[in-house]
C-alpha cells in the first residue's frame, strides 16, 4: 500500500465514480452491500461481474474493458488475494486507473508493487465503509 492513512480521506473526496471489480448479485455479501453503502453516500458506482444481474440497479459490465476509461479511475476490488496479480495485469493493460483499492482481507504485496510501479495509488486491506465512517 503506497497511500498513507492520512491520504485516504482526500483520496475518497477526489473521486466521484467508483468501479467495483466483482460486484455481487447477492445482497448478503460485502461485494454487494459495500457498493450499496457507498452509492447511498453519494458516489456513482458501477461494477463488473461475469454473469448478468441487475440486483441493486447497478450498471454491471461483464469485463473491465467494457467500462469507459473515465469510469475506471478508481477501482475497488472484491477478489481473493491470489487473483490480484491477474487483476493488476488487466488494469495496467487497459490503462486509466489511478487508484486500486483492495477491500478488507485482500492484499498481494508483489501485485501491489507492480501497480505502484505503474503509477497507481494502492490501498489494500481496507473497507470503504470503515474508512468512510472514520473520515466523514
Amino acid at each position: 500500500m503506497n497511500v498513507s492513512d492520512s491520504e485516504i480521506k482526500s483520496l475518497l473526496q477526489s473521486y466521484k465514480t467508483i468501479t467495483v471489480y466483482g460486484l455481487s448479485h447477492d445482497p448478503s455479501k460485502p461485494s454487494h452491500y459495500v457498493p450499496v453503502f457507498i452509492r447511498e453516500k453519494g458516489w456513482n458506482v458501477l461494477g463488473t461481474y461475469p454473469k448478468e444481474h441487475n440486483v441493486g440497479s447497478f450498471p454491471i459490465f461483464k469485463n473491465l474493458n467494457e467500462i469507459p476509461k473515465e469510469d475506471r479511475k478508481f477501482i475497488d476490488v472484491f477478489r481473493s488475494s491470489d487473483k490480484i496479480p491477474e487483476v493488476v495485469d488487466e488494469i495496467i493493460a487497459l490503462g486509466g486507473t489511478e487508484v486500486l483499492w483492495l477491500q478488507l482481507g485482500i492484499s498481494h504485496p508483489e501485485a501491489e508493487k507492480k501497480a505502484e510501479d505503474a503509477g497507481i495509488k494502492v490501498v489494500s486491506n481496507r473497507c470503504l465503509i470503515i474508512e468512510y465512517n472514520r473520515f466523514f
Side-chain angles (χ1 to χ4, degrees):
M1 183 166 102
N2 65 350
V3 174
S4 69
D5 192 59
S6 63
E7 296 175 282
I8 290 177
K9 181 178 181 180
S10 65
L11 189 69
L12 291 173
Q13 290 173 320
S14 298
Y15 295 88
K16 292 301 166 200
T17 297
I18 296 176
T19 291
V20 177
Y21 196 110
L23 198 157
S24 177
H25 63 281
D26 183 345
S28 70
K29 291 187 174 185
S31 55
H32 185 85
Y33 66 75
V34 171
V36 168
F37 176 90
I38 291 302
R39 181 178 61 192
E40 290 172 354
K41 299 303 179 187
W43 279 269
N44 177 40
V45 177
L46 51 148
T48 66
Y49 198 77
K51 297 176 185 172
E52 286 188 36
H53 73 81
N54 60 3
V55 177
S57 301
F58 288 102
I60 301 294
F61 299 84
K62 286 187 177 184
N63 300 299
L64 196 56
N65 66 342
E66 295 177 1
I67 296 175
K69 190 174 184 176
E70 63 271 11
D71 293 331
R72 294 192 317 254
K73 291 182 180 182
F74 188 121
I75 299 179
D76 177 27
V77 179
F78 285 92
R79 294 294 312 266
S80 60
S81 294
D82 65 313
K83 300 292 185 189
I84 299 306
E86 66 189 55
V87 172
V88 167
D89 287 345
E90 181 180 4
I91 287 169
I92 291 171
L94 289 172
T97 299
E98 298 172 5
V99 177
L100 172 63
W101 187 290
L102 304 177
Q103 278 295 137
L104 193 62
I106 304 170
S107 67
H108 192 288
E110 294 84 12
E112 291 173 41
K113 175 81 168 89
K114 186 173 186 176
E116 291 168 5
D117 290 347
I120 299 170
K121 294 180 181 184
V122 177
V123 177
S124 62
N125 194 26
R126 300 279 181 128
C127 176
L128 282 170
I129 292 175
I130 293 170
E131 298 308 316
Y132 177 89
N133 288 331
R134 279 182 57 209
F135 294 113
F136 300 98

